[in-house]
Amino acid sequence: MFLPLNCLLYGFPMRRFANFYIVLFLIDAGLSLTDEFSKVFAAHLPVLSTVRNFVAFLVIVLSLVVYSLLGLDRRLPKRVFLPLTVYSFWCSLALWPLLDMISRESQGLTAAFGQVFIGGVALITLRNFYGSNLLPADLFQRPLFGWRNTLVFSAVNLLLFPLLLVFFLMASGSYYLNQKSAGYMRLSPIGIYTSERSYHHDGKVVRLVAMMHVARKGYYQELFASLPAKGTIILAEGVTDQDRLLKGRFDYGRLANLVGLSSQEKMHLDGNLLELDDLGLADDLERDETKPDIVRADLDLNRFDPQTVEFLNVIARTLLGDKPLAQGFAAYSDWVKVHGTPEMISGVMADILYKRNEVVIDALHRSLDRYDTIVVPWGGMHMPAIESALLERGFVPGDKKERLLFAFSAIHFNVLRTNGV
């Protein structure tokens, strides 16, 4: 049974609620640290993780309530509750961008230690200012409401709201990229980074290089210059269109040039171009041994569902066409509202992601029979499936490096504004 707000704001109920929140935060910190230690040093306990997640959810929900009450009840000490509530909100955003700077294996333990530290600081503050581990009764003898407290709290939040909104959007975007790419792509306050990881097994090396269709100028040339040549094959990405099913040019060059970046089409791979069916015959073909072999390990558009082809034509016509970006995006949104059914979206994902994953993974397995080094420069969303196929085959992760795909400071935002964005 929940107490009504007018009852909660007075005397003993408010003190009990505030102290309950402090205790729950500390319990959550203890559960989180215990759960993380069990994963590292002992057998993982699913029941413990379930209880921890439930308590963490309660803490986040109550943090919203407590933070709102800070603007109404001036008796609640902000020096105690602001660190607790802000850290809870930050945890709900995966501690972005801090956790992006450490290994995935250490992220949970880092967050748990951080919560224990914040909880310890709150206890020290309570002891120093109030002589107790919880809020004392005499603190709530004062009137609860004060115009100055409410107005100052509201004004500060209004001023911070645009920054917090940007932070929330960037943190959410980083989390999405991280989850969909298995950590091969991340969003930082500086820009977007992509990862290259190497995998080793039986003297073979596979380099998975996460890509995007647009990048800073020189990115693609620098990437190609870093690739070895002898005994190397590059499994390139790129859907072909033998039957000319695309009605317009599917080119990211205009969008890239508009914001001062370079498109993936600018990456000119210098090597021995082979067909996918020639992988087993490479030794019998005339080749320059000083250059790597290059195979377009991808599908042709005629293998896609007609709905997917229509969807790609809409993108080419609206987002990548000659219309101003704002006008093109509006036209694209109108089309999606009418045709963007769950079945259509599922079919598109099956074509552009899952079917293509099968082709490149098959080419990867076939390439391992002949080549010592296989380089797979594909989109970041394809990396989880390719990585999983390698691990199943017994490959062991090796070196990892990051590259700045592009910096936000390099984007010509003034050009975007003139184009209606």
Side-chain angles (χ1 to χ4, degrees):
M1 178 177 180
F2 292 95
L3 292 170
L5 183 61
N6 62 342
C7 177
L8 184 64
L9 290 176
Y10 287 93
F12 180 68
M14 173 55 80
R15 173 173 171 254
R16 183 165 57 181
F17 172 75
N19 283 331
F20 172 75
Y21 173 75
I22 295 172
V23 171
L24 192 65
F25 184 94
L26 295 173
I27 292 174
D28 183 31
L31 286 172
S32 298
L33 192 60
T34 303
D35 189 33
E36 293 299 329
F37 273 135
S38 72
K39 294 176 183 178
V40 176
F41 301 109
H44 178 223
L45 303 174
V47 175
L48 179 59
S49 295
T50 301
V51 174
R52 169 195 176 182
N53 292 335
F54 175 73
V55 174
F57 174 76
L58 287 180
V59 169
I60 293 173
V61 172
L62 291 181
S63 294
L64 292 169
V65 177
V66 171
Y67 189 81
S68 301
L69 290 174
L70 292 177
L72 296 174
D73 193 336
R74 65 191 185 97
R75 301 168 304 180
L76 294 175
K78 295 177 178 58
R79 63 172 64 94
V80 173
F81 288 104
L82 276 178
L84 301 181
T85 54
V86 169
Y87 190 80
S88 297
F89 298 151
W90 194 24
C91 283
S92 69
L93 296 175
L95 295 186
W96 182 85
L98 176 62
L99 290 191
D100 286 340
M101 304 174 188
I102 61 178
S103 66
R104 293 168 66 89
E105 296 78 13
S106 304
Q107 291 179 357
L109 198 58
T110 301
F113 269 120
Q115 188 169 0
V116 170
F117 175 77
I118 294 296
V121 170
L123 288 177
I124 293 173
T125 303
L126 286 167
R127 297 284 296 181
N128 289 341
F129 284 90
Y130 308 107
S132 171
N133 291 329
L134 296 173
L135 298 175
D138 57 358
L139 183 64
F140 292 86
Q141 301 304 313
R142 302 181 299 160
L144 69 90
F145 184 77
W147 280 110
R148 180 181 177 183
N149 173 70
T150 300
L151 291 175
V152 170
F153 186 83
S154 301
V156 170
N157 279 274
L158 285 174
L159 288 173
L160 292 177
F161 179 76
L163 294 176
L164 294 175
L165 180 60
V166 171
F167 185 89
F168 172 78
L169 293 175
M170 293 187 69
S172 301
S174 179
Y175 180 80
Y176 177 83
L177 280 179
N178 186 67
Q179 293 297 310
K180 293 298 182 180
S181 69
Y184 273 86
M185 301 178 68
R186 72 177 180 91
L187 183 67
S188 83
I190 297 174
I192 295 181
Y193 287 84
T194 58
S195 291
E196 175 186 332
R197 301 177 190 172
S198 63
Y199 298 82
H200 306 265
H201 180 62
D202 272 351
K204 307 284 186 177
V205 179
V206 178
R207 294 171 58 178
L208 301 186
V209 185
M211 304 281 284
M212 274 186 65
H213 293 292
V214 294
R216 58 181 170 82
K217 294 183 182 299
Y219 172 88
Y220 301 109
Q221 289 75 14
E222 293 171 12
L223 172 62
F224 182 72
S226 71
L227 302 180
K230 190 173 182 180
T232 297
I233 185 171
I234 300 173
L235 303 181
E237 178 184 19
V239 174
T240 54
D241 185 16
Q242 297 177 356
D243 298 339
R244 299 186 180 277
L245 299 176
L246 283 179
K247 306 306 179 184
R249 188 181 178 193
F250 205 85
D251 183 10
Y252 290 91
R254 174 179 172 268
L255 179 61
N257 293 332
L258 194 62
V259 294
L261 301 176
S262 178
S263 67
Q264 193 172 350
E265 288 85 357
K266 297 286 183 67
M267 184 176 72
H268 301 295
L269 299 177
D270 184 19
N272 305 299
L273 299 178
L274 305 178
E275 295 296 327
L276 194 57
D277 294 335
D278 293 337
L279 280 177
L281 307 173
D283 289 332
D284 301 328
L285 302 175
E286 290 188 9
R287 295 156 44 249
D288 186 344
E289 295 291 344
T290 65
K291 296 180 180 181
D293 292 344
I294 302 171
V295 168
R296 191 182 293 272
D298 213 330
L299 287 174
D300 188 82
L301 208 59
N302 57 26
R303 298 273 301 278
F304 285 2
D305 186 273
Q307 278 192 321
T308 303
V309 176
E310 181 185 2
F311 174 72
L312 295 175
N313 273 313
V314 169
I315 291 179
R317 185 171 63 251
T318 58
L319 300 180
L320 304 178
D322 297 328
K323 298 179 180 178
L325 286 181
Q327 185 178 345
F329 184 77
Y332 170 78
S333 299
D334 291 341
W335 185 90
V336 170
K337 289 177 183 177
V338 176
H339 301 90
T341 63
E343 293 76 16
M344 188 277 291
I345 296 174
S346 177
V348 169
M349 292 301 296
D351 284 334
I352 66 175
L353 192 62
Y354 308 128
K355 287 183 181 179
R356 297 173 64 208
N357 286 346
E358 293 175 0
V359 173
V360 69
I361 289 172
D362 176 68
L364 174 60
H365 290 322
R366 292 162 60 187
S367 300
L368 287 169
D369 295 332
R370 185 197 178 284
Y371 296 90
D372 296 326
T373 302
I374 298 96
V375 182
V376 187
W378 273 57
M381 301 302 179
H382 297 275
M383 290 300 152
I386 302 173
E387 180 186 55
S388 178
L390 284 174
L391 296 177
E392 289 178 3
R393 187 153 175 159
F395 276 78
V396 177
D399 297 334
K400 173 184 175 182
K401 66 175 69 174
E402 276 194 336
R403 293 184 178 89
L404 177 63
L405 190 71
F406 62 81
F408 296 127
S409 60
I411 298 178
H412 299 164
F413 290 102
N414 57 328
V415 177
L416 286 176
R417 285 194 293 269
T418 60
N419 279 267
V421 178

